[in-house]
Amino acid sequence: MSYCVNCGVELEPSLKECPLCNTPVINPNQISSAVSNPYPSSKGQVEIASKKDFGILLTVVLSATSVTCLLLNLLVFQGHLWSFAVIGACICLFFLAAPAVFYTKASIYFILLLDGAAVVIYLYLLSYLTTSSEWLWQLGMPIVVMSTALIEIFAFLAHKFPFNILSASLYLFVEIPILCVTLELLIRRFCQSSYNITWSAVVLTVCVIIDIALITILAKKRLRNEVNRRLHF
């Protein structure tokens, strides 16, 4: 016994359509396999943009920003070279983002060196906005060079030796006092003060204590495992 799929009325086996609502009566067993699929064959996915496309977009946007600001500086707002600050920022953004877009297989040391060079270029352009460039050579350049060197050393240690939270903390707390002491000495030299360390000595003392504790933990396997277990490292 069959029933209308639309109104539910009982149908005679010989009927071709429902006598009540005129809905065609179709036997599922007699449906041709050649009936077209009502669903689209293609998935309709949007094509994923490649890294090259993002690289082109990044280059165009930063170049357009730099050129536009330079033209505005030269033709409209001619008070001082303010566009150098924008151009330097665009250069830094380009070098920071370029490794992820262009140089995917480049060495980490080369990438960090490019980042340091970008910061140096930025500071050099900023020196045109000041009355003297003495700060650039006595403070800016040495600080950037020191910071880049410490980051390069950190990357080298992380690559050549077993790397985990404890070892990374040890490397970090060794480099922080070196940077702070160097920074204070450079500032005192720039201000023509005596070469005494004050605030950096506090940082140095705290970091030395932390370093001793970390070295002890790393040297003792059971202690290291206990710290890893309790801190979920």
Side-chain angles (χ1 to χ4, degrees), residues 100-136:
V101 178
F102 298 107
Y103 309 109
T104 55
K105 297 182 179 180
S107 170
I108 183 63
Y109 309 114
F110 177 71
I111 292 173
L112 293 174
L113 188 61
L114 284 181
D115 294 339
V119 176
V120 168
I121 294 173
Y122 185 43
L123 293 179
Y124 181 75
L125 292 175
L126 288 180
S127 66
Y128 286 92
L129 303 179
T130 58
T131 56
S132 174
S133 61
E134 186 178 358
W135 64 270
L136 174 66

Side-chain angles (χ1 to χ4, degrees), residues 57-67 89-91 93-94:
L57 178 62
L58 175 69
T59 304
V60 170
V61 170
L62 295 180
S63 299
T65 303
S66 300
V67 172
C90 289
I91 293 174
L93 289 175
F94 180 81

